[in-house]
Amino acid sequence: MWEGLALNPAAPPDVLLRLLEPSYAAAWSALCRQRRDLPAEVVDAIVAHPHPRVRGALARNPHVPGEVRGRVVDDEVWLVRAHLADGPGQDVWPRHLPDHVIERMYTTYDGQELQSLAFSRQVPFRFRLATATHPVAAIRAYGADVWRHLSEARRAALLADPDPEVRASAERMLAHVTAEDDAEEMERRLRTTHSGGHARSHVLVNCRLSRAVVDELLREREEGDLWCLAHNYSTPPDVVAHVARVGDPKTRREVARREDLPRDLVDLLARDPDPEVRTAVSVRPELTEDERAAVDYVVEPHEVVQVGADPYGAPLSHARSAHPLLRRRVAYNPELPAEFVELLAADEDPGVRIILAQHHPEAPAELLLRCYLEYEGRNRDRLLGLPRFPVAGLAARFGTAEDPAVRLLATLDPEADPALVDVLTRDPDARVRAAAVRNPALPLQRLLQLLEDEELSKEAAANPKLPRETMYALLDSP
């Protein structure tokens, strides 16, 4: 029950502070990592807490602002700093850390911690680009990490930087990039790598290949080698044309994504027997709207996990394209102006609407509800936790729905009929029962009764209607 009390939105600060005592260690994770709002005095107590488990849990809380999590940036325990670098995890959308926290990490954390930070999605790309011109040399040295995104002038500036560490970092990156663009050097590396290993795959996918290596791959190829040729930027045009005709569908799809594809191959693959190959061709930037429409592409209505594009890189003009995949790419952008949010919220394609609902902080409330009702795929439940999700009136609309996932909506309505909420605490679906017990409209007598229920006592302790005197009594219970 202490865990439920830790999550109770109405729990006063003195209750939360008591839960930080050693006797309530079982509630630490719920309080510090799962709670959505933490009063300032509770944050202060967590940051100053003697147990690193408490401080580390705060570092991984996905709900609190990055400014709050960043308060442990200088923690004396390595594991706490490592938790901050890891972030809340790949299954959630973490809020970016503030610039001053990232700067502190760049100047004090070791390589392993910074590698974790790089993959945690907590550092905005604009910050990574800005490292190349940062006034602090120790941070400017990381500008080489975004080498391929820098202009020639900016690269030259790093190579001529007055700080020796910055110059050394830029020189190492230039040497690395130069070596990978040296076909003879890459051929030598291939001769010394194990067949099927990661080092071989890296060269074949990303580095310049000699004609001898290309011809060898065509003659005595391993599984996946044709795909590597389809992807590799240095594959000669005649080989690309050959692979486009003899490769399997996966390989032909990769050919269709090449930036340098000649028009005759675009036209060939636009008529490919595989629908995914045709679809890959249909979003090529050189095609006109009429040419896209002439391609027999296939778009699954609810396939919205990936569309293969930078969320900030899609031109806003694609929001008005007739092709739903291009509109989906725009919908991923969390910084879309209001006029485009309004436009895409009314899009006829379910995928566009769902992506917008999941990624834009200003997605309309009615869109969030519509998408929850229409979509049963990945991240559906996250819509329920968004601040703009509409809860008023849900109980009357969905309290008797046949689908338990829809019936669950009724439990979110704080103005629900108490009798209905009471009924839902006995629902056959476990999720509905648990959510109903947390609803503040639940009659107090039933709520207090459920504190004795082995299955639902935690949820009962999390109900904001729970009297304060009962909260204090729970703290004193064994």
Side-chain angles (χ1 to χ4, degrees):
M1 281 191 289
W2 294 336
E3 293 175 271
L5 199 57
L7 297 173
N8 192 315
D14 61 335
V15 168
L16 302 180
L17 290 171
R18 278 195 62 185
L19 288 171
L20 289 173
E21 296 174 4
S23 301
Y24 307 101
W28 285 353
S29 178
L31 173 62
C32 303
R33 185 173 181 179
Q34 300 172 36
R35 188 177 173 89
R36 291 182 174 273
D37 64 287
L38 288 166
E41 58 264 53
V42 177
V43 172
D44 291 342
I46 292 174
V47 173
H49 199 280
H51 203 297
R53 181 178 144 202
V54 170
R55 306 193 303 274
L58 177 68
R60 304 202 68 184
N61 188 320
H63 307 296
V64 299
E67 190 78 41
V68 172
R69 292 190 297 110
R71 290 189 57 184
V72 300
V73 65
D74 291 320
D75 198 276
E76 63 183 4
V77 176
W78 170 85
L79 186 59
V80 176
R81 300 194 304 273
H83 282 325
L84 181 63
D86 287 338
Q90 294 298 311
D91 292 334
V92 296
W93 298 322
R95 304 184 189 187
H96 288 153
L97 291 170
D99 287 4
H100 70 90
V101 171
I102 301 171
E103 289 173 348
R104 184 66 178 165
M105 297 171 83
Y106 269 50
T107 54
T108 62
Y109 281 27
D110 63 24
Q112 181 178 348
E113 293 167 340
L114 290 177
Q115 185 177 22
S116 297
L117 179 66
F119 287 100
S120 70
R121 301 175 297 160
Q122 300 180 96
V123 181
F125 187 65
R126 59 154 183 83
F127 183 96
R128 295 183 61 208
L129 284 177
T131 56
T133 57
H134 200 279
V136 177
I139 297 176
R140 201 161 59 249
Y142 290 99
D145 290 349
V146 289
W147 189 264
R148 297 185 186 278
H149 297 278
L150 300 178
S151 66
E152 290 296 331
R154 181 49 51 202
R155 294 174 185 175
L158 290 175
L159 290 166
D161 196 276
D163 186 89
E165 290 298 325
V166 176
R167 293 198 306 274
S169 176
E171 288 165 359
R172 286 193 298 270
M173 180 57 70
L174 177 61
H176 173 75
V177 171
T178 301
E180 290 195 339
D181 201 44
D182 183 336
E184 293 183 359
E185 170 62 22
M186 291 302 102
E187 184 174 346
R188 282 193 292 272
R189 287 192 189 180
L190 283 173
R191 303 306 179 200
T192 61
T193 59
H194 295 292
S195 177
H198 174 74
R200 178 180 184 273
S201 297
H202 173 77
V203 172
L204 297 184
V205 171
N206 301 298
C207 306
R208 184 173 292 279
L209 305 179
S210 68
R211 186 68 200 214
V213 168
V214 171
D215 290 341
E216 185 175 314
L217 292 177
L218 291 174
R219 284 194 314 270
E220 304 172 6
R221 60 179 180 266
E222 298 180 15
E223 183 179 357
D225 284 354
L226 284 186
W227 185 93
C228 294
L229 290 174
H231 176 89
N232 191 290
Y233 73 98
S234 70
T235 302
D238 63 305
V239 176
V240 172
H242 174 70
V243 170
R245 291 173 169 83
V246 304
D248 62 15
K250 179 181 177 182
T251 299
R252 301 199 304 276
R253 288 196 295 273
E254 196 59 27
V255 173
R257 298 185 181 104
R258 291 183 66 94
E259 292 183 2
D260 60 353
L261 201 62
R263 187 55 194 241
D264 63 322
L265 289 184
V266 172
D267 294 339
L268 172 69
L269 295 175
R271 303 187 300 272
D272 195 275
D274 184 85
E276 293 189 38
V277 175
R278 301 194 303 271
T279 301
V281 171
S282 70
V283 295
R284 292 189 61 83
E286 70 267 32
L287 296 185
T288 66
E289 285 291 295
D290 288 342
E291 289 169 336
R292 293 187 207 287
V295 179
D296 183 20
Y297 60 80
V298 176
V299 177
E300 295 297 331
H302 295 96
E303 279 189 4
V304 300
V305 176
Q306 293 181 349
V307 291
D310 175 4
Y312 297 94
L316 293 182
S317 60
H318 283 175
R320 293 185 168 86
S321 170
H323 200 304
L325 286 186
L326 294 182
R327 303 198 304 276
R328 290 183 189 186
R329 291 179 177 179
V330 179
Y332 270 102
N333 188 341
E335 299 177 3
L336 279 180
E339 64 176 295
F340 291 98
V341 174
E342 181 180 0
L343 175 67
L344 296 179
D347 199 280
E348 63 181 16
D349 176 61
V352 172
R353 299 194 301 269
I354 293 163
I355 292 170
L356 183 73
Q358 290 184 343
H359 290 82
H360 202 286
E362 299 300 321
E366 59 273 17
L367 175 67
L368 302 182
L369 176 58
R370 179 184 182 183
C371 288
Y372 181 83
L373 293 172
E374 292 179 336
Y375 178 59
E376 297 181 0
R378 185 180 179 188
N379 300 329
R380 180 192 191 187
D381 285 350
R382 290 186 189 171
L383 295 171
L384 302 179
L386 296 178
R388 294 172 65 91
F389 194 90
V391 295
L394 294 182
R397 294 177 61 185
F398 305 113
T400 58
E402 182 178 351
D403 183 352
V406 176
R407 207 159 57 246
L408 181 69
L409 293 172
T411 67
L412 304 178
D413 186 350
E415 302 298 327
D417 180 351
L420 173 63
V421 179
D422 191 336
V423 169
L424 292 175
T425 63
R426 300 173 173 84
D427 195 272
D429 184 83
R431 291 181 66 207
V432 174
R433 291 196 302 274
V437 175
R438 293 192 295 268
N439 190 302
L442 181 65
L444 181 58
Q445 182 178 0
R446 174 64 173 157
L447 173 59
L448 297 177
Q449 177 187 4
L450 288 169
L451 285 173
E452 307 299 325
D453 185 286
E454 183 177 350
E455 177 198 3
L456 298 171
S457 59
K458 173 183 173 182
E459 281 68 30
N463 191 308
K465 192 176 182 178
L466 195 69
R468 286 198 177 187
E469 57 269 21
T470 305
M471 295 184 188
Y472 295 126
L474 290 178
L475 287 173
D476 296 328
S477 64

